[in-house]
Amino acid sequence: MENKNKSLIDYLLILGDNSLILGHRLSELCGHGPSLETDIALTNISLDLFGQVRSYFQYAAELTGGEATEDTIAMKRVDREYRHTWLVEQANKDFAYVIGRQFLFDAFHLPLLEQLVNSKDEMIAAVAAKSIKESRYHLRFSSSWMERLGDGTQESHQRMQTAINDLYPFTYEFFEETATEKIMHEAGIGANLKTIETTYRQTIKDVFAKANLEIPSAPPRKTDGKKGIHSEQLGFILAELQYMQRAYPNMTW
Amino acid sequence: MVAADLQSLPTLVQEALLEITDPEIPVLSIMDMGVVREVTLEDQHVHVKLTPTYSGCPAMDTMAVDIKRALKKRGYDATIKLVLAPAWTTDWITPAGRAALEAYGIAAPLDTQSDKFALIDGKRIVKCTNCGSSNTKMVSQFGSTACKALFQCEDCLEPFDYFKCLK
Amino acid sequence: MEKIVDQEAAFQARIDAGEKIEPKDWMPEKYRKTHIRQISQHAHSEIVGMLPEGNWITRTPTLRRKVGLLAKVQDEAGHGLYLYSAAETLGISRDELFHQLHIGKAKYSSIFNYPTMTWADIGAIGWLVDGAAIINQVMLTRTSFGPYARAMVRICKEESFHQRQGYEIMLTLCEGTPEQKAMAQDALNRWWWPSLMMFGPRDAESPNTEQSVKWKIKRKTNDELRQQFIDITIPQAEILGITVPDPDLKWNEERQHYDFGEIDWDEFWQVVKGNGPCNKERLQARNDAWNNGAWVRNAARAHAEKRAEKERTAEAS
């Protein structure tokens, strides 16, 4: 296969897998949220993310050709072939973790999409244009909960700071440019991670201030999710995500 | 956006398309929702371009099936293509569509600024679908479907849905 | 005494004339209490119903089915929210309603006390459970209490879509491999009788009916609705090519209805009383969500108070 296509497909996985795994984590929460309103909100966010995944993976399947479909891409790869960051894999320990993970992702995702709307690749630009409206709602939701919990009660503040202390170091990976991202960026297709980082840091500063939260000083976790090296959590996630396709291969659902 | 122009198409094709509604909001036709981008005819084959409202909207697949069925009934084959760009906005809902929503009990979307005021700043501007009062408050920014939020009227106490502005 | 009697008579006359009763209207205490119970039970059913279906979200076989199921569960949560809001207009708090549910005092539809063991169960629930719910709910679109009737119109339409998707899942399975068809048959075997039980006890054993009819909460009896459901569903099962697990099922030409076997009323009452396969688990899940979320709700309240205080201070200065 053409090298350019290979990089493009890899890039689509880098984009889509974050939404896939994060969507999956959120979908675990249905019916278990702290209130009906948050249950609905998290389900909605999960739904939006999976919608984006479908667009990215349908495109990737087209480029891959053969028998590839959005579903073989989502559910038939092995762990080393997934390209998401460690942040989105983190478990739903408590609601503070759910919000922390969501906020850190949204703060990165929105500026990413804002760049991708100008991608030279028409499809990526279209997906980004669609997703950006939704991502704005997501960021608003997660930011306001960061505030509520960070500046709520003593207990909520402690839980929120603890969650952030654990999750924040994983965000290092967002801005580590992989070979694929470099190729895509230079081709005018992919985003400039440095630009995203600037916007991201400002958002973090603003929201953390409103939420009375400290930006953790712990060293970053230099993980290689975008290169396929994941945490222990992924195995369990895939066991559920892929179960039906693996137990009943080659059937129509 | 200019809604797909059906005028030049055979009556039967127009009929078929005008018949299809949003599966969850049956008072809203796909034409009035503004999701039909383009319809072209090649012999007895109709090409329809649809644009999804929300990324994860499950109704799109169903609408495609319904369109195919309606055209088949009238002797036409169809190919439905989902196009993502330009992205759908609530601006594309026609005045007839907005009226249909209101009559059905779903408050039609406001402009971007007012939408923000209502959803984020708690301003009382969304009109109650039951009594028309503006003395309404948001109960939940996320409603039963991706496109709706739940409001409640403080005058007549009616809980009602508001179709969120997406632009 | 006479005044109340006149008021009640006038109230009933309004209902008889087809008028809607709105939350701010005068209403007999019994009407208020009955509707709080009816509407909140409905709301509880929606949110408990999220659990058996929610089980399968992480394991749907395709992305398309995943967005379908996520949207369905969101819909149910949204309906719950809507109905709680409607119940609250009658003078009860959400906290009190949840409390009643969590201590096992309030009822919810028993059907959700059954387990979802395979993917086909998701199809069966959409087809049968939503199908049965729609039949119950269509009747309520003309009930006397305004907010409830209006909600039912929209909820019914949304659930019709769910039913359609559930049936499509079943159809895909039945047109698939022998394994898939067997999965569908197995799901039908387990969900058929509980779905019939959704229509409640036999008419002879249904205590509330008379009052419910007067207030237009019920327009048809349990048995009538159950018969309606069976008559509609059997042809659908025939199209799927799977068999309803009732050896006594037979079309009765004279009655122009299906004759069917005896429901296991022991099972019915056991599940209603709390001894069904998943009653404990469902209640535990709701209790856990509520209790584990207490600190979150407290934080939201505290934050809102802080904001309000800031605004008051700002306005004062």
Side-chain angles (χ1 to χ4, degrees):
Chain A
M1 176 191 317
E2 236 194 275
N3 253 340
K4 169 115 172 279
N5 257 4
K6 223 166 154 234
S7 295
L8 181 53
I9 292 170
D10 199 45
Y11 193 57
L12 290 169
L13 298 182
I14 291 177
L15 294 177
D17 282 342
N18 271 339
S19 296
L20 173 70
I21 302 299
L22 183 54
H24 179 91
R25 279 301 192 205
L26 292 173
S27 74
E28 290 172 352
L29 297 168
C30 288
H32 305 290
S35 69
L36 199 44
E37 284 83 346
T38 51
D39 237 308
I40 296 174
L42 295 172
T43 305
N44 196 142
I45 294 173
S46 178
L47 185 56
D48 286 343
L49 291 173
F50 277 110
Q52 295 163 18
V53 169
R54 294 191 72 193
S55 298
Y56 287 132
F57 287 2
Q58 280 167 19
Y59 184 30
E62 239 179 77
L63 295 170
T64 307
E67 307 214 329
T69 66
E70 56 174 338
D71 294 319
T72 60
I73 292 179
M75 300 178 191
K76 294 292 269 283
R77 281 178 285 154
V78 292
D79 60 299
R80 289 294 167 92
E81 295 170 313
Y82 284 84
R83 297 276 174 267
H84 57 278
T85 57
W86 281 43
L87 176 73
V88 298
E89 262 178 34
Q90 300 311 305
N92 299 318
K93 268 197 192 152
D94 72 6
F95 192 67
Y97 277 79
V98 173
I99 291 302
R101 184 186 62 207
Q102 193 61 45
F103 168 71
L104 293 171
F105 177 74
D106 292 336
F108 163 76
H109 197 213
L110 183 57
L112 169 66
L113 294 172
E114 280 169 348
Q115 279 199 40
L116 292 179
V117 289
N118 298 316
S119 171
K120 284 208 175 116
D121 183 294
E122 259 179 43
M123 193 57 182
I124 289 182
V127 178
K130 183 95 209 110
S131 313
I132 217 172
K133 303 162 198 273
E134 291 153 12
S135 187
R136 277 194 200 114
Y137 268 120
H138 300 172
L139 181 58
R140 223 179 264 151
F141 173 80
S142 55
S143 308
S144 60
W145 271 105
M146 284 284 283
E147 254 189 73
R148 274 186 208 117
L149 299 181
D151 188 26
T153 60
Q154 176 84 297
E155 179 180 7
S156 73
H157 177 84
Q158 260 164 10
R159 283 181 184 253
M160 199 62 241
Q161 187 67 64
T162 302
I164 286 296
N165 291 346
D166 277 355
L167 296 169
Y168 190 80
F170 288 115
T171 61
Y172 175 86
E173 197 181 356
F174 282 151
F175 310 108
E176 280 301 285
E177 197 181 52
T178 60
T180 297
E181 284 167 310
K182 188 167 194 287
I183 293 170
M184 288 290 106
H185 176 219
E186 282 164 4
I189 293 176
N192 179 340
L193 294 178
K194 288 276 166 268
T195 314
I196 295 175
E197 190 169 6
T198 311
T199 310
Y200 168 84
R201 300 238 168 266
Q202 190 59 51
T203 308
I204 299 296
K205 203 161 158 251
D206 292 341
V207 175
F208 272 47
K210 283 197 196 129
N212 264 354
L213 293 166
E214 274 172 34
I215 296 178
S217 52
R221 300 203 50 168
K222 301 194 176 177
T223 51
D224 283 322
K226 288 191 284 191
K227 295 183 191 150
I229 312 294
H230 297 283
S231 79
E232 287 182 340
Q233 316 238 28
L234 184 61
F236 295 104
I237 291 174
L238 295 184
E240 276 189 41
L241 182 69
Q242 301 191 347
Y243 173 72
M244 287 298 288
Q245 285 280 340
R246 299 254 181 222
Y248 302 96
N250 305 316
M251 299 186 196
T252 305
W253 301 97
Chain B
M1 181 212 86
V2 178
D5 189 2
L6 303 184
Q7 303 284 36
S8 57
L9 297 163
T11 317
L12 285 180
V13 174
Q14 288 190 47
E15 231 179 64
L17 289 166
L18 291 167
E19 197 175 87
I20 310 303
T21 62
D22 178 314
E24 279 191 297
I25 312 175
V27 295
L28 201 50
S29 77
I30 55 174
M31 296 306 297
D32 281 327
M33 276 184 80
V35 294
V36 183
R37 289 280 297 146
E38 187 185 274
V39 186
T40 52
L41 187 60
E42 212 184 301
D43 298 325
Q44 286 298 104
H45 199 103
V46 184
H47 293 274
V48 184
K49 283 192 182 159
L50 285 185
T51 180
T53 52
Y54 279 77
S55 292
C57 178
M60 302 313 298
D61 290 313
T62 304
M63 283 185 220
V65 167
D66 286 348
I67 294 171
K68 280 197 177 135
R69 193 179 290 149
L71 286 168
K72 190 87 203 170
K73 236 169 56 181
R74 294 169 171 85
Y76 292 91
D77 284 321
T79 311
I80 319 290
K81 191 164 174 224
L82 223 56
V83 292
L84 292 183
W88 182 83
T89 104
T90 43
D91 278 355
W92 295 0
I93 301 178
T94 64
R98 294 175 63 91
L101 281 172
E102 296 276 353
Y104 187 62
I106 300 177
L110 300 168
D111 60 271
T112 316
Q113 187 76 293
S114 307
D115 182 86
K116 180 175 176 293
F117 285 153
L119 293 176
I120 310 302
D121 302 328
K123 286 220 165 74
R124 287 156 188 257
I125 41 180
V126 178
K127 287 214 170 74
C128 173
T129 54
N130 188 44
C131 74
S133 160
S134 298
N135 191 14
T136 60
K137 71 169 205 290
M138 186 183 80
V139 173
S140 171
Q141 194 183 317
F142 296 86
S144 59
T145 62
C147 47
K148 301 187 298 198
L150 186 69
F151 274 71
Q152 190 158 24
C153 180
E154 306 241 275
D155 281 350
C156 74
L157 303 183
E158 177 88 341
F160 63 97
D161 284 324
Y162 164 67
F163 202 113
K164 293 186 285 196
C165 171
L166 193 70
K167 254 157 84 133
Chain C
M1 194 57 183
E2 216 179 270
K3 183 155 193 265
I4 298 285
V5 171
D6 282 342
Q7 254 183 323
E8 285 196 27
F11 177 79
Q12 189 58 49
R14 287 186 64 200
I15 295 179
D16 294 339
E19 273 179 53
K20 291 275 178 266
I21 308 299
E22 301 297 341
K24 286 185 166 174
D25 294 345
W26 182 87
M27 58 183 78
E29 202 44 37
K30 189 143 188 257
Y31 183 90
R32 181 186 302 278
K33 284 212 164 76
T34 301
H35 277 80
I36 288 176
R37 201 196 56 208
Q38 166 96 2
I39 296 173
S40 60
Q41 235 166 258
H42 199 153
H44 294 324
S45 299
E46 295 277 1
I47 61 163
V48 176
M50 291 167 68
L51 295 171
E53 292 178 302
N55 274 346
W56 276 89
I57 293 177
T58 55
R59 293 173 294 164
T60 62
T62 67
L63 291 178
R64 180 178 165 221
R65 292 301 180 202
K66 200 180 288 281
V67 299
L69 190 53
L70 273 165
K72 181 173 202 269
V73 171
Q74 180 176 347
D75 233 343
E76 282 152 15
H79 293 166
L81 189 59
Y82 193 105
L83 291 165
Y84 282 127
S85 301
E88 286 171 274
T89 68
L90 291 166
I92 188 166
S93 74
R94 181 97 63 88
D95 277 1
E96 177 57 34
L97 290 172
F98 278 147
H99 177 71
Q100 289 173 0
L101 174 67
H102 295 153
I103 60 172
K105 185 168 163 224
K107 295 208 174 357
Y108 56 87
S109 190
S110 282
I111 191 75
F112 301 120
N113 292 316
Y114 288 85
T116 44
M117 311 219 274
T118 73
W119 168 247
D121 288 37
I122 299 303
I125 289 178
W127 172 38
L128 301 173
V129 175
D130 283 317
I134 289 167
I135 286 181
N136 273 325
Q137 284 165 190
V138 162
M139 197 181 53
L140 291 169
T141 57
R142 289 177 298 162
T143 196
S144 57
F145 187 55
Y148 197 29
R150 289 186 293 270
M152 283 303 107
V153 173
R154 289 195 291 281
I155 288 177
C156 273
K157 292 292 192 292
E158 286 167 11
E159 290 194 355
S160 296
F161 181 48
H162 298 165
Q163 193 202 13
R164 178 178 163 171
Q165 293 191 303
Y167 191 67
E168 270 173 24
I169 291 174
M170 294 301 279
L171 195 57
T172 311
L173 293 173
C174 291
E175 290 176 348
T177 66
E179 249 176 318
Q180 286 176 301
K181 189 156 186 189
M183 201 191 283
Q185 179 66 66
D186 170 71
L188 175 56
N189 291 346
R190 286 180 290 102
W191 288 91
W192 176 252
W193 290 103
S195 299
L196 296 192
M197 293 178 198
M198 283 177 73
F199 296 96
R202 275 179 288 232
D203 289 351
E205 278 133 50
S206 210
N208 287 322
T209 305
E210 209 191 298
Q211 187 65 271
S212 303
V213 170
K214 267 176 73 183
W215 289 336
K216 299 188 177 171
I217 297 174
K218 246 185 164 54
R219 300 181 89 97
K220 285 191 181 167
T221 71
N222 293 355
D223 289 339
E224 280 173 340
L225 294 171
R226 194 174 358 249
Q227 184 69 69
Q228 193 183 326
F229 173 72
I230 294 171
D231 292 342
I232 287 177
T233 311
I234 299 306
Q236 294 170 347
E238 282 167 4
I239 291 172
L240 293 175
I242 45 181
T243 318
V244 159
D246 181 356
D248 297 318
L249 190 73
K250 206 170 52 232
W251 176 253
N252 185 319
E253 191 60 36
E254 216 185 291
R255 287 201 311 131
Q256 283 292 300
H257 289 294
Y258 280 95
D259 287 337
F260 56 99
E262 195 60 35
I263 288 173
D264 182 346
W265 294 109
D266 275 339
E267 182 183 327
F268 175 85
W269 288 112
Q270 281 303 316
V271 179
V272 163
K273 286 198 181 101
N275 301 322
C278 298
N279 296 57
K280 286 205 177 71
E281 287 79 356
R282 301 292 181 240
L283 267 191
Q284 191 64 57
R286 290 309 309 160
N287 270 286
D288 286 348
W290 189 250
N291 295 332
N292 294 340
W295 70 269
V296 178
R297 294 188 304 275
N298 290 340
R301 232 183 329 259
H303 179 81
E305 278 163 24
K306 285 187 195 178
R307 274 265 289 268
E309 187 55 45
K310 276 200 194 109
E311 274 164 32
R312 276 195 292 269
T313 318
E315 270 166 36
S317 58

